[in-house]
Amino acid sequence: MTKYLIYAGCLFLLIWSCRRNGDVRPGTQPYTLELPSNFPAPVYDMSWNPLTVQGVALGRRLFYDPRLSRDSTISCGFCHQQFAAFAHFDHPLSHGIDNRTGLRSVPGLFNLIWQKDFMWDGGVNHLEVQPLTPITDPNEMGEDLARLISRLNADQKYRGLFRDAFGEGEINSQKLFKALAQFMATMNSFNSKYDSVMRHAPGVQFTAEEAGGYATFQAKCASCHKEPLFTDGSFRNNGLPYNPYLHDAGRMRITNSTGDYLKFKVPSLRNVIKSPPYMHDGRFYDLFDVFLHYSENIEQTPTIDPLVKNRIPLSNQEQRELYLFLNTLTDPGFINSKSLSEVLITD
Amino acid sequence: MKPYYLLPVLFLLCTACKKDKQEQGNIQVTFKNVVNGVPLVLNTAPYTNANGETFTVTTFKYYISNISLIKMDNSELRVPDSYFLVDENTAASKTITFNAPVGEYRAVAFKIGVDSIRNVSGAQTGALDPVNGMFWSWNSGYIMAKMEGTSPASTAPGQTLTFHIGGFKGNFNAVQDVNLVSPISLTVGLERRPQLTITADLYTWFTGVNLVKFSENSAIHVPGELAWKISTNYRYMFRITDVTDL
């Protein structure tokens, strides 16, 4: 008996002495994140930024606060709209302060905790440092980080909210980024019809056409748009004709390697019906144009992906069925979630 | 058989994880920035590079991190969490103090720049806070060292010089290791704090293995081969020029 006690004691000591200092701060309530059973383990290590009710709420407020931009006109939520799965509906290229236009389309935001690289070219390597780009980019929010931090510190309301979430002390960029990351970590989409079918939810089945579309999808699209996230996270050239106005070299901009010329991150296709236009430059407004691209308009360049090189023939019926299948990836609970919706900021 | 032998192992594990309780003193290092031996004065003073091109300096900053102390038996002792940004424009940043266990040391080692782990670990604070302007947002990673100025030889608009040196991946990892042997051994005691002066010579950036001509290269702001070449030059910029050990 004593022997077991000693073992237990040692084990306790071991765990105690090796514990990380990332426990939830006293005075905050832990936020329990619901995770789907059919997904892999998240990439984002939340033990370094434990989600709390206060932290998530603060992140949400920051996400919807236009005062994060230089002239207080543009919030994250301005470009990332919930009804479009947090893409910018109907905007091929992003639209920032002073009516400036960016170089790329706004991707939807969801399941970010499973993502390793961010941006179409994967230039950003961590969810927490992601907001730095839009905040400081002159084409987006155009604000100086140091100025923003001092503005936040001068704001009575924010001082209180940051204290509640992260404890005493000055507001710094780390707290700002961690709060935004906490909110973004809750933007998860895994309750589409597709998911119900995969989890054998009682009474939910694909229609015959959806099932046909799923079969086509698995045969022709799923090696890149890999289930269950509908992306394998890799960078590939899917044969889009080069856009001479934007001169976007894609992944090569980050790696300097000519082998990465015109490669872009494979986007998830969850909620895709809700987030037109499509591709890194928003060139297609309609999914049927996307199908047409894969089946007929592949441009041959040295870095073209072998999987699309010989085009992906799609009959009219296959296209229709694919469309209906992609429609099952829409997650109405996510798009209408009250806990992610815009908060009106009056103070 | 009863695994009693596990007990000491468990005990060892516990103690291994336990925080170090050794008595701590500290060491102070003052950085003196020079150009070819002449004290650096920002904005006004003209200097000449190894290629004979004149220039002035408006910004000079670099990260010192991962400091270790080399004991007399040549074993290495890491100073945990040591990240400093030395900025010519901020007098206070040029003197750094870090904890060191009581003992005698023969050399100090550090990295110029920020190790790859901190480049991929999300939001950081202190010296590593991106408000310091030493972080590339579009291509995540720290600028390890930064020199800006002007030169009549520069072909950039406004004849500017912009050398933002970074990159922590692959062949062009610009994080450089420096090891400086002290002219006399450094004895850290509870009441005894060795003070070192380390001189950093900006001249080395543009000479050495890779001669840099401002007429050909006046701007670097991406990671890659050019940045890495400059880092292989500047890894020789430091010398210990004074030690007070009382």
Side-chain angles (χ1 to χ4, degrees):
Chain A
M1 189 58 212
T2 41
K3 193 178 72 211
Y4 288 112
L5 275 178
I6 293 172
Y7 275 133
C10 279
L11 253 171
F12 174 76
L13 262 179
L14 176 62
I15 292 162
W16 181 252
S17 48
C18 289
R19 81 199 182 280
R20 206 176 264 175
N21 298 328
D23 308 339
V24 170
R25 236 178 46 74
T28 55
Q29 283 93 47
Y31 182 103
T32 329
L33 198 60
E34 191 203 332
L35 295 178
S37 53
N38 56 331
F39 276 32
V43 173
Y44 181 56
D45 184 352
M46 279 167 278
S47 67
W48 292 101
N49 184 20
L51 304 197
T52 61
V53 172
Q54 287 79 0
V56 171
L58 171 58
R60 180 178 177 190
R61 182 186 160 103
L62 290 162
F63 190 87
Y64 287 113
D65 192 344
R67 287 175 295 177
L68 260 58
S69 65
R70 194 188 67 223
D71 60 2
S72 297
T73 55
I74 296 213
S75 66
C76 310
F78 173 85
C79 290
H80 295 285
Q81 300 167 312
Q82 184 180 17
F83 70 89
F86 294 100
H88 202 172
F89 186 76
D90 207 23
H91 279 65
L93 298 175
S94 74
H95 179 136
I97 59 165
D98 304 336
N99 267 323
R100 281 162 169 266
T101 303
L103 296 172
R104 296 204 178 128
S105 71
V106 182
L109 303 184
F110 48 81
N111 302 345
L112 294 164
I113 53 175
W114 284 277
Q115 215 165 292
K116 204 163 112 346
D117 305 291
F118 300 87
M119 303 306 203
W120 283 102
D121 57 19
V124 172
N125 67 17
H126 199 284
L127 182 57
E128 289 169 10
V129 295
Q130 211 292 322
L132 190 56
T133 322
I135 289 173
T136 56
D137 187 329
N139 288 330
E140 299 191 5
M141 299 162 92
E143 178 56 307
D144 175 68
L145 185 61
R147 252 194 53 175
L148 173 58
I149 298 299
S150 66
R151 282 203 287 127
L152 288 172
N153 271 308
D155 183 311
Q156 206 56 36
K157 178 81 182 173
Y158 270 119
R159 291 187 73 89
L161 294 172
F162 272 95
R163 192 180 325 111
D164 292 347
F166 297 108
E168 294 297 333
E170 291 279 291
I171 299 170
N172 59 28
S173 73
Q174 189 181 46
K175 293 177 185 174
L176 167 67
F177 294 154
K178 290 206 170 201
L180 280 166
Q182 288 200 23
F183 176 57
M184 290 194 282
T186 68
M187 293 178 157
N188 298 318
S189 175
F190 47 80
N191 285 321
S192 62
K193 176 172 182 186
Y194 159 86
D195 295 292
S196 301
V197 173
M198 291 302 129
R199 291 190 215 116
H200 306 291
V204 189
Q205 270 173 352
F206 282 143
T207 64
E209 284 178 309
E210 288 164 356
Y214 184 36
T216 306
F217 182 83
Q218 286 184 303
K220 302 188 169 175
C221 318
S223 1
C224 301
H225 298 284
K226 187 166 168 265
E227 298 170 73
L229 292 160
F230 289 85
T231 168
D232 66 352
S234 66
F235 299 89
R236 304 185 188 237
N237 173 349
N238 71 340
L240 291 175
Y242 178 69
N243 182 333
Y245 300 104
L246 294 173
H247 296 296
D248 197 335
R251 182 71 178 155
M252 184 175 130
R253 176 168 177 249
I254 301 305
T255 61
N256 274 328
S257 154
T258 48
D260 286 329
Y261 186 54
L262 301 183
K263 289 189 181 173
F264 291 87
K265 194 174 65 198
V266 177
S268 172
L269 298 184
R270 285 179 174 272
N271 303 299
V272 70
I273 303 275
K274 294 288 174 189
S275 59
Y278 305 112
M279 304 299 171
H280 68 270
D281 54 4
R283 66 176 70 191
F284 300 132
Y285 276 80
D286 190 335
L287 278 179
F288 285 91
D289 293 334
V290 173
F291 301 152
L292 191 68
H293 159 71
Y294 283 113
S295 63
E296 309 207 351
N297 297 331
I298 296 287
E299 183 164 276
Q300 302 293 335
T301 42
T303 55
I304 183 109
D305 199 282
L307 291 167
V308 296
K309 190 175 172 47
N310 299 321
R311 301 189 283 124
I312 305 179
L314 294 166
S315 69
N316 282 344
Q317 188 194 341
E318 282 175 316
Q319 296 191 19
R320 235 172 60 78
E321 289 180 347
L322 253 184
Y323 183 88
L324 292 170
F325 166 68
L326 292 176
N327 198 31
T328 71
L329 300 181
T330 301
D331 181 348
F334 169 68
I335 281 168
N336 299 310
S337 166
K338 290 268 180 294
S339 61
L340 301 176
S341 63
E342 177 149 13
V343 280
L344 215 64
I345 296 163
T346 49
D347 54 346
Chain B
M1 199 189 79
K2 303 216 169 90
Y4 282 119
Y5 56 86
L6 272 178
L7 275 176
V9 173
L10 266 176
F11 178 74
L12 263 179
L13 270 172
C14 293
T15 51
C17 283
K18 199 69 211 138
K19 298 270 146 58
D20 207 334
K21 279 275 151 60
Q22 211 186 332
E23 286 191 305
Q24 296 280 335
N26 54 58
I27 294 183
Q28 193 182 67
V29 178
T30 299
F31 289 91
K32 252 174 59 187
N33 297 325
V34 303
V35 185
N36 209 4
V38 181
L40 173 60
V41 180
L42 289 182
N43 303 319
T44 48
Y47 304 98
T48 307
N49 70 8
N51 194 43
E53 296 159 323
T54 58
F55 66 102
T56 62
V57 183
T58 52
T59 304
F60 187 48
K61 303 193 209 187
Y62 46 84
Y63 276 112
I64 300 293
S65 77
N66 292 268
I67 299 174
S68 351
L69 297 167
I70 316 297
K71 292 192 198 165
M72 301 311 281
D73 64 2
N74 220 24
S75 65
E76 202 171 321
L77 203 143
R78 285 202 48 185
V79 179
D81 263 326
S82 44
Y83 295 91
F84 299 96
L85 178 60
V86 179
D87 179 356
E88 175 58 29
N89 203 24
T90 313
S93 75
K94 290 192 278 180
T95 295
I96 67 177
T97 306
F98 49 87
N99 286 342
V102 166
E104 197 179 355
Y105 304 99
R106 55 177 291 270
V108 285
F110 53 84
K111 290 186 193 299
I112 316 177
V114 178
D115 51 279
S116 59
I117 293 174
R118 290 295 178 115
N119 276 277
V120 300
S121 303
Q124 305 290 318
T125 190
L128 299 180
D129 192 318
V131 289
N132 296 320
M134 297 290 279
F135 191 83
W136 278 312
S137 60
W138 60 278
N139 187 354
S140 306
Y142 284 94
I143 297 171
M144 310 299 175
K146 188 187 254 192
M147 178 273 181
E148 290 169 1
T150 59
S151 167
S154 162
T155 54
Q159 302 190 314
T160 52
L161 300 175
T162 314
F163 291 95
H164 295 184
I165 310 304
F168 59 93
K169 285 181 278 199
N171 294 338
F172 300 126
N173 183 340
V175 184
Q176 295 291 350
D177 286 304
V178 174
N179 193 333
L180 300 173
V181 177
S182 177
I184 56 170
S185 69
L186 308 167
T187 308
V188 177
L190 287 177
E191 303 289 317
R192 179 167 165 160
R193 180 175 71 181
Q195 292 172 297
L196 275 78
T197 302
I198 294 181
T199 299
D201 198 336
L202 174 57
Y203 189 78
T204 57
W205 281 45
F206 310 112
T207 184
V209 195
N210 301 296
L211 183 76
V212 177
K213 303 178 179 174
F214 293 154
S215 55
E216 291 167 7
N217 271 315
S218 52
I220 297 180
H221 28 219
V222 295
E225 187 170 2
L226 274 172
W228 170 77
K229 279 186 168 166
I230 291 202
S231 78
T232 59
N233 284 345
Y234 72 43
R235 63 178 298 200
Y236 301 109
M237 76 171 157
F238 294 107
R239 295 268 176 283
I240 296 181
T241 47
D242 193 29
V243 181
T244 315
D245 185 9
L246 302 169

